[in-house]
Amino acid sequence: MALIVKKFGGSSVATPDKIRSIVQRVLQGSQPDDKIVIVVSAMGKSTDKLIELASQITSKTYGREMDMLLSTGEQVSIALMAMAFQAAGHKSISFTGAQAGIKTSDAFNKGRILDIQPDRILKALDAGNIVIVAGFQGITGEGDITTLGRGGSDTTAVAIAGAIHADVCEIYTDVEGIYTADPRVVPNARKMDQITYGEMLEMAKLGAGVMQPRAVEMGSRFNMPIHVRSTFSDNEGTIIQEAYSMEIKQYLIRGVADDKNVAKITVLGVPNKPGNAYKIFAALSDANVSVDMIVQSVRYANEGVTDITFTVARDELAATNDVLAKIKEELGLEEILVDDKMAKVSVVGAGMAGHPGIASGMFGVLGEHGINIEIISTSEISITCLIAEEHVEEAVRAIHAYFLDEA
Amino acid sequence: MALIVKKFGGSSVATPDKIRSIVQRVLQGSQPDDKIVIVVSAMGKSTDKLIELASQITSKTYGREMDMLLSTGEQVSIALMAMAFQAAGHKSISFTGAQAGIKTSDAFNKGRILDIQPDRILKALDAGNIVIVAGFQGITGEGDITTLGRGGSDTTAVAIAGAIHADVCEIYTDVEGIYTADPRVVPNARKMDQITYGEMLEMAKLGAGVMQPRAVEMGSRFNMPIHVRSTFSDNEGTIIQEAYSMEIKQYLIRGVADDKNVAKITVLGVPNKPGNAYKIFAALSDANVSVDMIVQSVRYANEGVTDITFTVARDELAATNDVLAKIKEELGLEEILVDDKMAKVSVVGAGMAGHPGIASGMFGVLGEHGINIEIISTSEISITCLIAEEHVEEAVRAIHAYFLDEA
């Protein structure tokens, strides 16, 4: 007997036909005594349609009422899926986030899961049901419906798996697993059998879009194995877990990630007074702008000014410009330059710590290809270079060839 | 200050534009210190669309999961309406049936309201909100979502009005109020200013489609005045209440109702043994068929057989035929005749008791017009005749002219 949580995204449940085919797959792929919880997202584009309805009422967004609206999308999916299991002859019951005991903070549109009280889920499993839970939603202490924001359904699935001590949490996607690089860019990229939470977090944050970082963090917290696999095949995917199995071949580098959602801002002539850098980044933080890579260069020490370069996500560029325009005069900044045609390329691997050759190898590969590195940042398990977007695919292929192509 | 519950049906909230125009009407038509609760149905055809989705999964209906599905329709409406009030600058909050404290029996698809715990509604009103509540839904003691079945939103509105001791419950419809007869049939039918719960129940059961009997019964239980009025005008409609104001002109007859959803079944040659009639009607009751008018005629006493004639709603005719076919042999019935082109015409008025002239007046009018009466049934406040459907409009006009046309 296995206790398994399976998560299916919106495209997997986009039509009644697709829902029925998932039901067939789940029933064929499981043992009679397996206990199964399925977390589902809203059908296909239904969330977009609800957002469109709201936009016809008002151009503002109202947190609580928007969550009241959006949470109906998943509620439709779970009801239909439970009906489909019943129609296929299997006991099944659906639960909203509230009914599944998912307690969140009262931050509407971006609730954080505070606690899961899985009593109803466990009782329904014991009674022989396949339990269907609405992803992406929960309830506050007051009884208000919240949604969890981006990647919410993955997070719901992993959190429930942790709360009920499942054997594994399976995330079904439209790819076969996690690859050593984006297969559309690197044709000989390999699917990884395993990856650690830490490596996956680096890969995810750096743009490998398969898993949301929040869900990976949740998995790490519960030490819950996450199996990322294909909706469309029975092949094993990639297991995200704490450490590798003993027998797996150790690579120093596990994968190459890229991220094109990057804009570079250079603030020229920041008067070199204590607190000036702080003021810039505090103002950005107040405007909810996440700053990523930062480098400060002292131009000429005797001029008393420095230049500060940093990166933000492109969709936060407008907010960034607003903030900088406001403080430009107050801080006496000389000039602000923006380049939104940048990208990041990274190597990730838990084994790289203590191997100084990795960084120099990466820089050497980029140099050989004539690709200029604008900023470098490193973590325990990754090295990231900021380069021009036009070179990113060439860079990924070259780095993959150098570190990861099998002989 | 007034405490008012207003209910708007699905056609009134069919589009975001219609929702915004209701919001404008409510704000213009109320005083700043009024406390307002609004009960809404699902938008336009959205419930039909959800039913269509479910039918693509399975041809069976699954009670609990169907309610999980259908309840999303009202949840969308309430969220959009609360947003619309906020966009118009007024505090507003939406509540699902569960959040509004509407506790029901666990009869899915046809839940009965057992109790309302209006704490959140009252708190939100005190905080200055216009409170929007999802009609047609509630929650069981287990925390499962139920829907209330036909007329559910009217019932929700009246029950909430009772629970919070509102001054009045306003039901907005596409007509101006309750008329002395269907104005499409009787051009000089008059809108009534007042009608009693009892009269309205007779009118409603007999086919005057404006109010569902359940909601009228709920109003009677709480002695809550129900104001039936037009969504499209500011005219006063009809107040349904316990008794008339002292000053109102007393009519013996208040209105003429008709109902074309009638089929007549005649069972010929029922062996005249004790229990045979019981067996027929028990079998129909087991099949959930509601039998309305019944007449039993002993043909020739010495033949030992009787004929039984009764009426059912036309949409229950198929089930009725099934039941009779099954018991025909067992009971030794001779023949079963069906006529689905029948209709009922009724006069209703709380003042008619003790005025025997009413019945003879009605029969006389029908006789003058050559309309044959097949069955007669009476209550304290109504007289109903079964006639051929082809004559029903002529009958309604003639009866209205006799009893109700103003001199």
Side-chain angles (χ1 to χ4, degrees):
Chain A
M1 191 213 81
L3 176 54
I4 306 175
V5 175
K6 295 168 185 279
K7 180 259 171 180
F8 293 94
S11 58
S12 302
V13 296
T15 65
D17 274 353
K18 288 190 176 184
I19 290 172
R20 284 186 304 180
S21 75
I22 284 181
V23 163
Q24 287 310 318
R25 256 209 83 183
V26 169
L27 291 176
Q28 282 158 15
S30 53
Q31 303 299 316
D33 61 350
D34 283 349
K35 291 185 172 180
I36 298 174
V37 176
I38 297 178
V39 174
V40 281
S41 305
M43 293 171 78
K45 302 284 173 204
S46 61
T47 301
D48 293 343
K49 283 183 198 156
L50 292 169
I51 291 172
E52 165 62 22
L53 267 183
S55 76
Q56 289 177 44
I57 294 283
T58 166
S59 57
K60 298 183 201 163
T61 56
Y62 296 100
R64 181 186 182 281
E65 303 307 328
M66 191 57 100
D67 285 357
M68 176 72 90
L69 181 70
L70 294 185
S71 63
T72 62
E74 285 75 24
Q75 196 172 325
V76 168
S77 305
I78 59 172
L80 293 176
M81 187 168 279
M83 286 181 200
F85 273 107
Q86 292 176 19
H90 202 292
K91 281 183 78 173
S92 184
I93 187 168
S94 69
F95 292 135
T96 61
Q99 290 169 342
I102 299 170
K103 310 288 177 189
T104 74
S105 64
D106 56 4
F108 295 110
N109 311 156
K110 49 184 182 192
R112 312 296 297 190
I113 297 179
L114 302 178
D115 185 28
I116 295 188
Q117 291 159 357
D119 318 31
R120 282 203 81 181
I121 293 177
L122 294 170
K123 221 167 113 183
L125 286 172
D126 285 344
N129 289 286
I130 291 180
V131 173
I132 320 293
V133 177
F136 184 67
Q137 63 180 241
I139 196 161
T140 67
E142 271 279 284
D144 287 329
I145 297 169
T146 50
T147 64
L148 306 183
R150 210 161 164 191
S153 290
D154 287 358
T155 308
T156 300
V158 177
I160 287 176
I164 66 174
H165 307 290
D167 297 307
V168 63
C169 178
E170 298 180 340
I171 306 286
Y172 287 82
T173 75
D174 52 3
V175 296
E176 293 272 330
I178 312 294
Y179 281 74
T180 53
D182 184 338
R184 291 166 300 186
V185 174
V186 182
N188 55 343
R190 294 187 312 279
K191 191 187 73 189
M192 294 183 248
D193 294 330
Q194 303 180 21
I195 186 171
T196 68
Y197 298 117
E199 289 169 341
M200 187 65 223
L201 276 174
E202 291 286 343
M203 296 285 280
K205 283 182 181 157
L206 294 167
V210 181
M211 282 289 295
Q212 283 289 325
R214 278 176 78 182
V216 180
E217 279 163 18
M218 186 71 80
S220 173
R221 193 168 318 147
F222 284 111
N223 198 10
M224 170 58 54
I226 301 172
H227 188 174
V228 178
R229 60 191 307 182
S230 169
T231 310
F232 312 108
S233 84
D234 290 328
N235 299 340
E236 295 283 307
T238 302
I239 308 267
I240 311 171
Q241 55 190 7
E242 190 55 44
Y244 295 113
S245 309
M246 292 296 283
E247 66 267 28
I248 201 170
K249 183 178 169 188
Q250 291 287 335
Y251 293 94
L252 291 181
I253 301 300
R254 293 288 296 160
V256 183
D258 65 273
D259 182 2
K260 292 177 189 150
N261 181 19
V262 183
K264 180 186 75 168
I265 291 96
T266 304
V267 184
L268 292 177
V270 181
N272 202 357
K273 285 189 295 190
N276 264 352
Y278 165 77
K279 280 179 189 159
I280 293 172
F281 293 113
L284 289 167
S285 166
D286 288 348
N288 268 320
V289 172
S290 290
V291 172
D292 185 13
M293 307 172 97
I294 303 177
V295 62
Q296 180 165 17
S297 51
V298 177
R299 231 192 292 171
Y300 301 101
N302 55 359
E303 277 190 20
V305 295
T306 65
D307 301 334
I308 295 177
T309 302
F310 59 89
T311 63
V312 299
R314 285 182 196 167
D315 44 12
E316 296 187 341
L317 190 52
T320 305
N321 283 333
D322 285 352
V323 168
L324 293 178
K326 272 185 212 146
I327 59 175
K328 188 177 176 190
E329 200 162 336
E330 179 197 340
L331 299 187
L333 310 177
E334 267 173 28
E335 196 175 354
I336 293 154
L337 305 175
V338 171
D339 184 344
D340 65 354
K341 294 276 182 284
M342 303 303 292
K344 292 186 290 185
V345 60
S346 312
V347 293
V348 175
M352 72 164 61
H355 287 78
I358 304 290
S360 62
M362 182 179 185
F363 305 155
V365 169
L366 293 173
E368 275 168 31
H369 284 258
I371 298 168
N372 191 39
I373 301 171
E374 304 232 356
I375 311 183
I376 298 162
S377 74
T378 60
S379 79
E380 285 282 300
I381 62 172
S382 71
I383 302 167
T384 301
C385 297
L386 185 73
I387 62 176
E389 182 186 350
E390 59 180 322
H391 299 307
V392 69
E393 302 198 344
E394 182 185 356
V396 169
R397 276 190 292 267
I399 294 167
H400 194 276
Y402 183 81
F403 289 110
L404 285 158
D405 277 8
E406 307 246 85
Chain B
M1 191 213 79
L3 176 54
I4 306 174
V5 175
K6 295 169 185 277
K7 180 257 171 181
F8 293 94
S11 59
S12 302
V13 295
T15 65
D17 274 352
K18 289 189 175 184
I19 290 173
R20 283 186 305 181
S21 74
I22 284 181
V23 163
Q24 287 310 317
R25 256 209 82 181
V26 168
L27 291 176
Q28 281 157 15
S30 53
Q31 303 299 318
D33 60 349
D34 283 350
K35 291 185 172 181
I36 298 174
V37 176
I38 297 178
V39 174
V40 281
S41 305
M43 294 170 76
K45 302 284 174 202
S46 62
T47 301
D48 293 344
K49 284 182 196 156
L50 292 168
I51 291 172
E52 165 62 21
L53 266 184
S55 76
Q56 289 177 44
I57 294 283
T58 166
S59 56
K60 298 184 203 163
T61 56
Y62 297 100
R64 181 186 182 281
E65 303 306 327
M66 192 57 100
D67 285 357
M68 176 72 90
L69 181 69
L70 294 185
S71 63
T72 63
E74 285 75 25
Q75 196 173 323
V76 168
S77 305
I78 59 171
L80 293 177
M81 187 168 280
M83 286 181 201
F85 273 107
Q86 292 175 19
H90 202 292
K91 281 183 77 173
S92 183
I93 187 168
S94 69
F95 292 135
T96 61
Q99 291 169 343
I102 300 170
K103 309 288 177 188
T104 74
S105 64
D106 57 3
F108 295 109
N109 312 155
K110 49 183 181 193
R112 311 297 295 190
I113 297 179
L114 302 178
D115 185 29
I116 295 188
Q117 291 158 358
D119 317 29
R120 281 204 80 182
I121 293 177
L122 293 171
K123 220 167 114 183
L125 287 172
D126 285 343
N129 288 286
I130 291 181
V131 173
I132 320 294
V133 177
F136 183 67
Q137 63 181 242
I139 197 161
T140 68
E142 273 278 281
D144 287 329
I145 297 169
T146 50
T147 63
L148 306 184
R150 212 162 161 190
S153 290
D154 287 358
T155 309
T156 300
V158 178
I160 287 177
I164 66 173
H165 307 290
D167 297 306
V168 63
C169 178
E170 298 180 339
I171 306 285
Y172 287 83
T173 75
D174 52 2
V175 295
E176 293 272 329
I178 312 294
Y179 280 74
T180 53
D182 184 339
R184 291 165 302 187
V185 174
V186 182
N188 55 343
R190 294 188 311 279
K191 190 186 72 188
M192 295 183 247
D193 295 331
Q194 303 180 21
I195 186 172
T196 68
Y197 297 117
E199 288 169 341
M200 187 66 223
L201 277 174
E202 290 287 344
M203 295 286 279
K205 281 180 183 158
L206 294 168
V210 181
M211 281 289 295
Q212 283 290 323
R214 276 176 80 179
V216 180
E217 280 163 19
M218 186 71 79
S220 172
R221 192 167 320 145
F222 285 111
N223 197 11
M224 169 58 55
I226 301 172
H227 187 174
V228 178
R229 60 192 306 183
S230 168
T231 309
F232 312 109
S233 84
D234 289 328
N235 298 341
E236 295 283 309
T238 302
I239 307 267
I240 312 172
Q241 54 192 6
E242 190 56 45
Y244 296 113
S245 309
M246 292 295 284
E247 65 267 29
I248 201 170
K249 182 177 169 189
Q250 291 287 334
Y251 292 95
L252 291 182
I253 301 300
R254 294 286 296 160
V256 183
D258 65 273
D259 182 4
K260 292 177 189 150
N261 181 20
V262 182
K264 180 185 73 165
I265 291 95
T266 305
V267 183
L268 293 176
V270 182
N272 202 355
K273 286 190 293 189
N276 264 352
Y278 165 76
K279 279 178 190 162
I280 292 173
F281 293 111
L284 289 167
S285 166
D286 289 347
N288 268 318
V289 172
S290 289
V291 171
D292 184 15
M293 308 173 97
I294 302 177
V295 62
Q296 181 167 16
S297 51
V298 178
R299 228 191 293 172
Y300 302 101
N302 54 356
E303 278 189 21
V305 295
T306 64
D307 301 334
I308 294 177
T309 302
F310 58 89
T311 63
V312 298
R314 286 182 196 167
D315 45 11
E316 295 187 342
L317 189 52
T320 305
N321 283 332
D322 286 352
V323 168
L324 294 177
K326 272 184 209 146
I327 59 176
K328 188 177 177 191
E329 201 162 337
E330 178 197 340
L331 299 188
L333 310 177
E334 267 173 28
E335 196 176 354
I336 292 153
L337 305 175
V338 170
D339 184 344
D340 64 355
K341 294 276 183 281
M342 303 303 294
K344 291 186 291 187
V345 59
S346 311
V347 293
V348 176
M352 70 164 63
H355 287 79
I358 304 289
S360 62
M362 182 178 183
F363 304 155
V365 169
L366 292 174
E368 275 168 30
H369 284 258
I371 298 169
N372 190 39
I373 301 171
E374 304 235 355
I375 311 183
I376 297 162
S377 73
T378 60
S379 78
E380 284 283 302
I381 61 173
S382 71
I383 303 168
T384 301
C385 297
L386 186 73
I387 63 176
E389 181 185 348
E390 59 179 322
H391 300 305
V392 68
E393 302 198 345
E394 182 185 355
V396 169
R397 275 191 292 265
I399 295 168
H400 194 276
Y402 183 81
F403 288 110
L404 284 159
D405 278 7
E406 307 245 87

